[in-house]
Amino acid sequence: INPTRPVVLVEGEWDALAVCERTGHRALGVATGSTMGGRRHIDIARLAMAMWVFVAFDDDEAGRKACKYWLNLLPKSSRLLPTAHDCGDMAKQGHDFNEWLRKAVQNA
């Protein structure tokens, strides 16, 4: 975690790679592995060092429930809805990750 770059917290590893690649590494994509993953104390402490944590889990029941957990846990976090099912689908469909991230940072 680099405190000068935003983190985009996602469910899957492919989603995290899409975030890194499509933002030109302006944001760090971090995968929890599942909606219930990534909850070790050391992982939470590292995430807390980030400038912003944008929680970009899927917009389904499990994703919304996991988002609430992270948003309550991390004070510098906010919800960032993917513009497709998930960040992997955003990449496949050619969505503009930089504009998506720019708007998120502007509204944080």
Side-chain angles (χ1 to χ4, degrees):
I1 305 292
N2 179 335
T4 64
R5 284 192 326 183
V7 167
V8 179
L9 193 63
V10 295
E11 294 176 37
E13 290 80 2
W14 291 114
D15 300 321
L17 289 170
V19 168
C20 292
E21 178 186 78
R22 297 300 175 107
T23 64
H25 297 275
R26 286 179 201 83
L28 176 63
V30 174
T32 60
S34 71
T35 57
M36 297 299 292
R39 297 183 178 196
R40 298 180 317 160
H41 294 292
I42 188 71
D43 299 326
I44 294 165
R46 287 179 178 142
L47 286 169
M49 294 186 319
M51 176 187 300
W52 295 290
V53 177
F54 297 109
V55 185
F57 285 14
D58 303 356
D59 191 20
D60 56 23
E61 185 177 338
R64 287 187 295 273
K65 184 177 179 182
C67 279
K68 287 181 185 177
Y69 170 83
W70 289 105
L71 295 174
N72 287 328
L73 186 67
L74 299 169
K76 295 182 285 185
S77 65
S78 60
R79 178 69 160 126
L80 179 57
L81 282 171
T83 56
H85 174 72
D86 59 25
C87 292
D89 285 344
M90 286 175 61
K92 288 179 200 170
Q93 296 172 17
H95 293 222
D96 187 339
F97 278 73
N98 286 308
E99 181 64 14
W100 179 65
L101 183 63
R102 186 192 65 73
K103 287 179 182 177
V105 169
Q106 185 178 18
N107 294 324

